[in-house]
Every structure is written in C-alpha cells, then in structure tokens.
Amino acid sequence: MSPARDPIGVIGTGYVGLVTAAGFAELGSEVWCVDIDAAKIEGLRSGEVPIYEPGLERLLASNAGRLHVWTDLSGAFEHARLLVVAVGTPPTYSGDADLSAVRAVVDAIPPSDAHALVMKSTVPCGTGASIQRVLHEQGKGGLGYVSCPEFLKEGSAVKDFLHPDRVVVGDCGDWAGDAVVELYTPLKAPLVRTDIASAEMVKLASNAFLATKISFINEIANVCEETGADVVEVARGMGLDERIGPKFLQAGIGFGGSCFPKDVDALKQLAGNSGYHFQLLTAVIEVNELQKRRVIGKLHKHLGGLAGKRVALLGLAFKPNTDDMREASSLVLAARLNADGAVVTAYDPVAEEQARKLVSGITFADSPLDAASDADAVVLVTEWPEFIELDWKLLAEGMRGNLLIDGRNALDPDAVRAAGLVYEGIGRGQMAGSSERAGGSAAPADGTPSREPA
Ligand SMILES: NC(=O)c1ccc[n+]([C@@H]2O[C@H](COP(=O)([O-])OP(=O)(O)OC[C@H]3O[C@@H](n4cnc5c(N)ncnc54)[C@H](O)[C@@H]3O)[C@@H](O)[C@H]2O)c1
C-alpha cells in the first residue's frame, strides 16, 4: 500500500486554487480549501463549479470525499502543514502586482513551527523575502516559506496540473521544500529546485517570454501585410526550427487573459523599481495594445466607416475553453466599435455571463448565426472549435454585408471565400495590398490603405 499523502490547505479557490485542490485530491491528498467568498464556498459545498474549465467538474465530483471547503483558515491550519496560497494578484494602476490578498493571508496565519506557506500566486521577485521578513516581525518566523509558481493554462488546466512540463520549487532547503517536492513526486515531472527569488523569476520570465513571442509574430504579420508574405506560412517555416518551435507563433489580435498582461507589466515595473528600464517588454506591451486595434482599422478599410454598421463578434473569452474575460481582446474591440458608432452583436459559447459584467452597449446572441444575422461584418475573436467548422454559406446568407475578419487566423480562407464572403486574416499574404472591398459597403472601392484608428 502506498504511504499516506500529506494533507494540504489551499487558500483561494479560483482558477488555480480549485484545479490545484482537485488535482492534489486526485493524487490522494485530503485537501482543505479556503476562500473569503462565502457564496463561492456555499456553491462548492452544494456541488456547483464556479468556473468553466474542461474536466474540472468531473475531478471535483470524483474526489468530493477528500475535498473540504471553508471560509476560514481554521480547518486547513488544523489538518494540513502545507498551506498553498492561490489568491489573486491583479494589476494595480501603476502596473505593479496588487499583493493585498497575499498580505491578508500572511496576516491571518497564526504562529507555528510546523506549518509552511507555499506560494502559488504569481508574485514579483523579492516577495518571498519580504514575506519572510514580515513573518519574523510578526513573531511568526517559525513558519516555513516555499515558492512554487503555477504554470497551468486555463482551458487545459486539469491536464496541465496532472502533466506539468516542470515543477519549480524555490525554498531554503528545509523540511517545507522537501514536503512540496514529495507532494509533486507522483507527477514525475522534471524538477527545478532552487532559491525563492529564482523560482519567482522563472514564472515572470516564462510569461514575459511567451508574450514576447506573440508580439514578435504579430509584428511579423503586420510586415507581411505590407510585403505580400503570408504569416501562417512564415510561422510554419520558422516553427520547424527546433530552436524556435511552433508554439506561440500564431499571429492574431493580441494576448489577453488574467496572466500575460499583468505579469508582463509586473516584470516591467519590477525592473523599473530596481532601476532598470526593460525596453523589450515596453515594446511587447505596446505592440499588443496596437494589435487589438488593427481589426478596427481593417473594418474601416472595408466598410469605409463604422457608424451604423452592424458588426458581429464570434467569441468573447480571452481564449477558447474558458469563461475568463479578464483582459480579453474582445473588451477593447467592443469598446472601440461602440465608440465608432457600430452596432455590435456577440456570441460566446460559455463566457456570456462573465462578459455581461464587463461589457456594455452590445447585444448578446444565442448562436453564431444569430449574431451574424443582418451583419455587415463578422469578426472571429476567439477560436472556439465550434466556429472553425461553421456553415459559412448559411452564415453568409443571413448577413447584409459579406466581410469576415479572422482575428485568429483560425479559419480556412478557401472555405470562407467559397461561401461568397470576403476573407481577411491577420498578416495573410494573399490579401495584402488588395483593393477588394466587401459588398454591402458604403465605401468606394478605391483601395484606400488600412489605417489605424486614433
Ligand atoms: N488563472 C491562471 O491561468 C493562472 C495561471 C498561473 C498562475 N496564476 C496566478 O495564480 C493566482 C490566482 O489566480 P486565479 O486566476 O486562480 O485567481 P482568481 O481570481 O480566479 O481566484 C482567486 C481566489 O482567491 C480568493 N481570495 C482572495 N483573497 C483571499 C483571502 N484572503 N483568503 C482566501 N481566499 C481569498 C478569491 O475570492 C478568489 O476566489 C494569481 O496570482 C495568478 O497570477 C493564474
């Protein structure tokens, strides 16, 4: 019989906390979850899953006997020595990470020589050291501290938890680090055991690098539009170079979500606060902001102006397979379209409830065809699988115009064109320099070059 697993506490039951809790329960640990959101805890107790994450509902249900949910720390503190912190660290107005939720957890932990905080929340490099200082000042220096950053991706979080590329453990070489390593041993993932500051930096640098790759290929796409190359072909050719690899080379309307924008900003601020100007990240952020707006330029180019034009958005979530709307590109698009006087209808398979809290001035449709009905233009914003195989002929028949902008280069241009639609992707060469204009447009077919909206 395998030895009993260490019980754990998980503080914060959002995307990371809930998946972590369910994952460790699946591996055999008793897990005490804590969240200050009483409604969420109530819902979890009655079997409700507060987020959309493929496979999570099943994992929670099949491990319900090992999962205990509370609104205070007492259960976790009584039963578990490792207290995993997975509270939010959203951006502040300055771009620094807001660590108030992390600080609230630190303040609430009672003194102990037998417990350790395991930091999964993404925090700036140096946070662990400052938390250890605060713990000493508060007479709680006996508490252990481990940095164990999380790399899961929303949409495949359960799989990512169970099959991580690597596990990073930053610690002082004490019992707590050993215990965290042991917790992850069944996953047989490559282990990077290091000091706390380096572990914190691995997380920030990884996200910043991925964001840089996205902004890089988006800039290449923009140059492709000027030169006639097709960025999809370019990325295919680049990605086969094993030093480069094919991932994160999909040009589109920019990155969003709860992690990349804030983590890139936080690293830039961290560098700035330490006296170093991180030029590259400044450009990555700027390119990403402009990229979201390029779709507006494309709509102007084809429709000649947006006042009164009907635009359908397919997808709102920041990426497929999640209902997370934080920093979604759709938020910028919808706001810009509204500002330009367009009439916006949108459809998303799961994110509508979250979107309604953040977006105003748009109508929500019940299906992609519904959204496209009577539209001058359709924009693919999130590449949900159900959009890839849409019946484009049926969609085209319901539209009043015929423009389709593929904001994720996810569609088959030939299939879209065969339905009588005008296809425009991001950096797709065959459309570069084209004077083709969408039918139903009020604009003259004068080949006016694309312009960025102010
Ligand atoms: N979402 C991701 O894909 C992802 C991936 C890797 C790392 N991260 C990092 O993990 C952390 C959590 O992210 P998330 O997306 O799960 O956040 P989230 O907003 O979905 O969840 C945070 C949860 O913490 C709870 N909370 C806040 N203060 C609390 C407190 N004092 N005590 C107990 N609970 C408290 C909130 O009520 C909420 O349920 C962040 O630092 C994030 O950067 C997120």
Side-chain angles (χ1 to χ4, degrees), residues 6-35:
D6 226 337
I8 59 163
V10 175
I11 306 169
T13 59
Y15 288 87
V16 168
L18 215 45
V19 170
T20 303
F24 279 124
E26 173 78 3
L27 295 180
S29 289
E30 293 285 323
V31 182
W32 274 264
C33 304
V34 186
D35 204 292

Side-chain angles (χ1 to χ4, degrees), residues 11-17 34-37 40 86-89 101 104-105 120-122 150-154 203 258-259 262-263 326:
I11 306 169
T13 59
Y15 288 87
V16 168
V34 186
D35 204 292
I36 48 168
D37 184 337
K40 195 182 260 189
V87 298
T89 49
V105 173
K120 268 217 167 291
S121 296
T122 304
E150 183 53 61
F151 300 94
L152 61 74
K153 304 178 287 298
E154 287 176 23
K203 173 65 191 176
S258 66
C259 290
K262 87 169 168 66
D263 292 349
R326 290 177 284 186

Side-chain angles (χ1 to χ4, degrees), residues 386-407:
E386 73 174 77
F387 299 150
I388 309 300
E389 299 297 330
L390 267 176
D391 184 337
W392 297 110
K393 203 157 182 347
L394 202 59
L395 181 131
E397 280 166 11
M399 289 174 65
R400 100 179 161 186
N402 64 355
L403 173 62
L404 190 136
I405 296 187
D406 179 0

